[in-house]
Amino acid sequence: MSPSPVRGPLLLGVRHHGPGSARAVRAALDAARPEAVLIEGPPEGDALLPLAADEGMRPPVALLAHAADDPGRAAFWPLAGFSPEWVAIRWAQEHDVPVRFIDLPAAHSLAAEGEGAEGTGSDAVRLDPLAVLAETAGYDDPERWWEDVVEHRGAGGAGEDVLGAFEALGEAMGALREAYGDGGHRRDLVREAYMRQRMRAARREFGDAYAVVCGAWHVPALRARTTVAADKALLGGLPKVKVETTWVPWTHRRLARAGGYGAGISSPGWYAHLFAAPDRPVERWLTKVAGLLREEDRQVSSAHVIEAVRLAETLAAMRGRPLPGLTETLEAVRAVMCDGSDIPLALIEDRLVVGDVLGEVPDGAPVVPLQRDLTRQQRTLRLKAEAQDRELELDLRKDTDTAKSLLLHRLRLLGIGWGTPAVSRAGTGTFRETWRLRWEPELSVRIAEAGIWGTTVLGAATAKAEADAAGAGELGEVTALAEQCLLAGLAQALPAVLRSLADRAALDTDVARLAKALPALARSLRYGDVRGTDATALGAVAAGLAERICVALPTACAAGLDADAAAEMRGHVDGVHTAIGLLADAAEGLRERWSAVLTTLAGRDAAPGLIRGRATRLLLDDGRLPAEETARLMGLALSPASSPADAAGWIEGFAGGSSGGGTLLVHDDRLLGLIDAWLVGVPERAFTDVLPLLRRTFGAYEPGVKRTLGELVRRGPGGSAAAVPGGSAPAGFAPELDPVRADAVTELVRMLLAPA
């Protein structure tokens, strides 16, 4: 005997993304058989509802609505396979029943300044109805209360029982609305007025034989008797914008509260399992956990699963719960399968409790032309969008890998951060790139925003690069843009970028900004060889910039720089030195000109010791400064006439950083001896001041280098120490151990080594 049709509107109050609510909604619809189903959501999505039945649609997905003239103003309405709204949509389609959205149109909600659509998080929750009900029932955790009263209930009872559960929840929400009013959600009053209008329209068409699926919080307001005039008054004068809507893929991770979604849940992966498991959900879940741990090479057997099930059931019984919930299950996993460790448990929470499931939408979903071009390239290059992090190693000598690199760089220039450059674990080199890929649902909004620049990825990136070059405020922005253009293969945008670069370089007189801009240009010159992009046009601009730096740098380094400014200038000197090494083939005589600048800096007393020491070291590494001259400059810098702070800065510039200064001192005893002689002669009060600089310099050496230097100082000239001209021992060394100096530290060493 078929069930009788519903008498009166059926109001099904649910928890968004609650699998228990989803099962109850399906059972209630099967029992009541309404002639139409109304669902909380933007009416602009009605035209997209037929796509929910497409074979290519796989939740989690979301309705995306954005302002047509401002794609950045957007809102999402996510739906998972266990969402009650999704279940209601599919039930209506399977039973050939009309289904419609009845919430406030996105055209109004997106137009309201300072407000967003439901679920975006902009309308902050001031009252949590579930928390109030849980506290009233004596629970300290709303999630645990919801699991006990809803998620652990069966859905196969009589129709009256199913509808009775919705009635009980509606009455509870009615009591809360009486006590708290709108609960801090002033915008809900407007939304509910619009829902009531849509319900009146449904009544005229279907009588009372329709069902409404909405958040349980709204049920009392939708059930209340109000006048048409009162609702129209609430809706009068609402702002409005033109909107566009589509379906976009969503992820379980973005359903979680940690992802920033305002109506999110804490355990979407767990809820998906509860909804899909036909029976024995705890046993099936713990079997999944065991499989994951085995993939991570942990020893987990069937006995572990059996014991974990027993422990979870025991914990639930002790706590008076009808079935083990997520809390009991995870506690059992920690104790039985993880040996009490939280490290593997964190992996389980990330992979299974939350999860990285990424939905799919059919090809027929409306998209902006830019999205269509991107999808085509993704398929051609076999770059699948995935929710979890994935490393992609590219060899730019291969055409396919080069095409992937160009696509990812173009997307980054457009602000679509699907890929992030990473450090390669397979080695370095200009022919190798490593990317870390992760697809986030918000990228759909970024694509819609970038659609204003063009209909293809190449065209949009070119147009945006030209616009960015015209609007750049500093030289560094243009040089970085030029590098991006070459990385992205935007040959058509380069002329505009180079014109902007030449104009700003000609007007900029700040040598620090010039020095900061040069390295990016120098790096860009190599991309013509690696990617097949003609970068020779940059050569003249870069060479001219380098010439201006060579002229202005000595004066800038002698202008009374303080310690911070000297450290910054040292970084610029290093950057320019590396850049000129790349530019040497593009500009004749540039390397010799730069060496002359370094020679001037190394011998200029007015320059800070940090910069003089760095210039000396760069000349020595390039083979342009004899060892004897290096020792002479060091001797001058470390002479008693120099202040200890300036001398320590010289040492830091010469031997500090990652330039291999420790290895140099290991193999050149003369330089080590000069530093040692200066160090032992620093007055006690001055030594305290220079100690931080010295520790920063020598503390960065590798342990083996520091150990070798200590041995050399201890042995003096007897080991590998070379004699200085004239046959005398290097300064700082003695032919044998000095017992007086050694005994001075004996007591201190005894104190350090004494047992506590």
Side-chain angles (χ1 to χ4, degrees):
M1 182 176 179
S2 61
S4 59
V6 65
R7 297 187 182 92
L10 177 62
L11 299 182
L12 303 178
V14 301
R15 182 190 186 189
H16 300 301
H17 318 307
S21 291
R23 288 193 302 269
V25 163
R26 184 166 54 193
L29 293 177
D30 284 338
R33 295 297 180 96
E35 296 181 12
V37 177
L38 310 182
I39 297 174
E40 180 183 335
E44 291 92 344
D46 285 351
L48 301 174
L49 283 173
L51 290 173
D54 193 287
E55 293 182 356
M57 181 75 83
R58 184 172 65 87
V61 293
L63 272 174
L64 165 63
H66 64 82
D69 59 349
D70 183 11
R73 194 190 309 176
F76 296 98
W77 286 262
L79 296 171
F82 52 84
S83 298
E85 298 87 348
W86 181 261
V87 170
I89 292 171
R90 295 296 296 123
W91 184 93
Q93 292 172 335
E94 291 167 2
H95 292 80
D96 198 21
V97 169
V99 56
R100 299 166 185 170
F101 288 122
I102 63 169
D103 203 350
L104 187 70
H108 295 309
S109 58
L110 291 178
E113 185 177 357
E115 294 185 351
E118 178 71 13
T120 62
S122 58
D123 190 9
V125 176
R126 299 180 184 178
L127 173 70
D128 184 351
L130 296 185
V132 176
L133 293 176
E135 184 179 359
T136 304
Y139 285 73
D140 57 359
D141 183 3
E143 292 291 332
R144 190 159 57 90
W145 173 81
W146 182 260
E147 283 190 344
D148 286 353
V149 301
V150 177
E151 302 306 335
H152 293 162
R153 290 174 56 91
E160 291 79 10
D161 292 333
V162 172
L163 299 180
F166 285 110
E167 284 295 325
L169 188 57
E171 290 178 6
M173 292 299 172
L176 291 179
R177 294 296 290 255
E178 289 180 5
Y180 296 98
D182 59 22
H185 301 272
R186 299 301 301 273
R187 190 167 59 88
D188 280 353
L189 301 179
V190 178
R191 295 174 55 209
E192 289 159 354
Y194 189 85
M195 292 186 201
R196 287 192 293 266
Q197 282 197 344
R198 295 298 298 265
M199 290 172 62
R200 293 186 185 103
R203 183 176 295 112
R204 290 191 295 269
E205 186 174 356
F206 305 105
D208 286 335
Y210 64 91
V212 178
V213 179
C214 63
W217 175 254
H218 302 298
V219 169
L222 301 187
R223 185 178 290 160
R225 293 183 177 276
T226 60
T227 65
V228 175
D231 287 342
K232 285 185 176 180
L234 285 172
L235 297 170
L238 291 179
K240 189 175 182 179
V241 296
K242 183 180 179 181
V243 300
E244 297 176 354
T245 57
T246 186
W247 289 107
V248 296
W250 203 254
T251 67
H252 276 178
R253 191 170 301 279
R254 296 303 294 170
L255 280 173
R257 287 198 185 96
Y261 169 53
I265 53 179
S266 59
S267 50
W270 167 255
Y271 274 8
H273 169 78
L274 290 181
F275 183 71
D279 55 17
R280 306 173 72 88
V282 175
E283 290 85 344
R284 294 177 183 273
W285 173 262
L286 290 174
T287 302
K288 286 184 180 180
V289 171
L292 174 62
L293 293 177
R294 288 170 187 153
E295 291 175 1
E296 298 297 323
D297 295 328
R298 294 188 65 88
Q299 299 299 319
V300 179
S301 66
S302 300
H304 286 90
V305 177
I306 295 171
E307 187 59 33
V309 171
R310 289 174 177 171
L311 179 55
E313 291 175 344
T314 301
L315 290 172
M318 292 175 59
R319 295 168 181 173
R321 307 193 68 182
L323 287 174
L326 181 60
T327 302
E328 289 75 25
T329 306
L330 290 181
E331 288 178 1
V333 168
R334 179 194 285 110
V336 177
M337 298 184 181
C338 301
D339 299 323
S341 173
D342 287 333
I343 296 177
L345 187 67
L347 176 68
I348 294 167
E349 291 176 338
D350 182 71
R351 298 275 188 87
L352 295 181
V353 177
V354 177
D356 285 310
V357 177
L358 176 66
E360 297 178 2
V361 298
D363 294 337
V367 294
V368 296
L370 181 62
Q371 174 69 75
R372 191 173 294 110
D373 180 64
L374 173 58
T375 301
R376 179 188 60 79
Q377 294 193 53
Q378 287 174 323
R379 290 175 177 171
T380 301
L381 299 175
R382 296 182 179 179
L383 276 176
K384 185 179 179 181
E386 297 175 329
Q388 63 269 24
D389 283 332
R390 178 170 72 93
E391 280 199 355
L392 178 67
E393 292 281 350
L394 299 179
D395 184 345
L396 301 182
R397 292 168 294 186
K398 300 178 181 178
D399 292 341
T400 301
D401 283 4
T402 299
K404 293 177 181 178
S405 173
L406 293 176
L407 174 62
L408 293 171
H409 279 294
R410 289 167 184 171
L411 292 176
R412 277 177 58 81
L413 194 148
L414 288 169
I416 305 170
W418 177 23
T420 303
V423 177
S424 175
R425 291 181 293 183
T428 59
T430 58
F431 291 103
R432 191 178 301 278
E433 271 189 358
T434 301
W435 291 82
R436 182 170 291 107
L437 303 182
R438 184 188 185 97
W439 188 266
E440 295 285 0
E442 288 82 356
L443 295 179
S444 299
V445 178
R446 304 284 83 81
I447 294 171
E449 287 182 304
I452 64 174
W453 298 108
T455 58
T456 65
V457 175
L458 174 59
T462 299
K464 189 173 188 301
E466 293 174 345
D468 288 349
E474 294 185 0
L475 178 62
E477 296 178 15
V478 188
T479 55
L481 183 60
E483 186 175 11
Q484 285 182 298
C485 287
L486 289 170
L487 287 167
L490 303 179
Q492 294 182 354
L494 271 178
V497 175
L498 290 179
R499 283 195 301 270
S500 177
L501 177 61
D503 293 343
R504 284 165 174 76
L507 296 175
D508 204 325
T509 59
D510 189 330
V511 68
R513 285 202 294 266
L514 296 176
K516 186 178 180 180
L518 184 62
L521 291 180
R523 289 193 304 267
S524 299
L525 286 174
R526 67 182 179 183
Y527 298 143
D529 296 329
V530 179
R531 301 170 187 276
T533 305
D534 184 9
T536 55
L538 284 175
V541 177
L545 203 61
E547 290 289 347
R548 294 181 59 195
I549 292 172
C550 290
V551 172
L553 188 61
T555 303
C557 290
L561 302 177
D562 59 16
D564 292 338
E568 182 180 357
M569 190 59 72
R570 173 201 165 170
H572 293 324
V573 170
D574 283 343
V576 173
H577 183 76
T578 302
I580 285 181
L582 297 174
L583 293 173
D585 296 336
E588 185 177 355
L590 184 58
R591 192 185 296 273
E592 287 70 22
R593 182 69 180 275
W594 175 244
S595 297
V597 172
L598 292 177
T599 303
T600 300
L601 291 176
R604 176 165 289 185
D605 294 338
L610 180 67
I611 295 177
R612 299 200 317 272
R614 192 63 188 156
T616 302
R617 178 59 191 276
L618 293 176
L619 288 170
L620 178 65
D621 289 346
D622 281 354
R624 295 178 179 271
L625 192 67
E628 293 76 10
E629 179 63 14
T630 303
R632 186 186 73 82
L633 290 174
M634 179 179 285
L636 292 174
L638 304 183
S639 67
S642 300
S643 68
D646 190 68
W650 196 97
I651 294 175
E652 182 182 7
F654 182 84
S658 58
S659 55
T663 305
L664 176 65
L665 296 180
V666 166
H667 295 287
D668 196 325
D669 292 326
R670 291 172 301 176
L671 301 182
L672 179 60
L674 288 171
I675 293 177
D676 184 58
W678 170 80
L679 188 60
V680 298
V682 175
E684 180 179 356
R685 184 172 301 176
F687 182 79
T688 304
D689 295 333
V690 301
L691 182 59
L693 287 176
L694 297 175
R695 292 192 64 176
R696 184 169 62 194
T697 301
F698 297 109
Y701 293 167
E702 295 180 356
V705 172
K706 289 189 283 188
R707 185 165 50 250
T708 303
L709 289 175
E711 286 293 324
L712 288 175
V713 173
R714 183 185 66 81
R715 285 200 310 237
S720 62
V724 295
S728 60
F733 292 94
E736 58 185 12
L737 180 68
D738 186 344
V740 176
R741 297 178 65 186
D743 290 342
V745 300
T746 303
E747 186 62 27
L748 177 61
V749 172
R750 184 180 293 111
M751 292 174 60
L752 293 174
L753 298 180

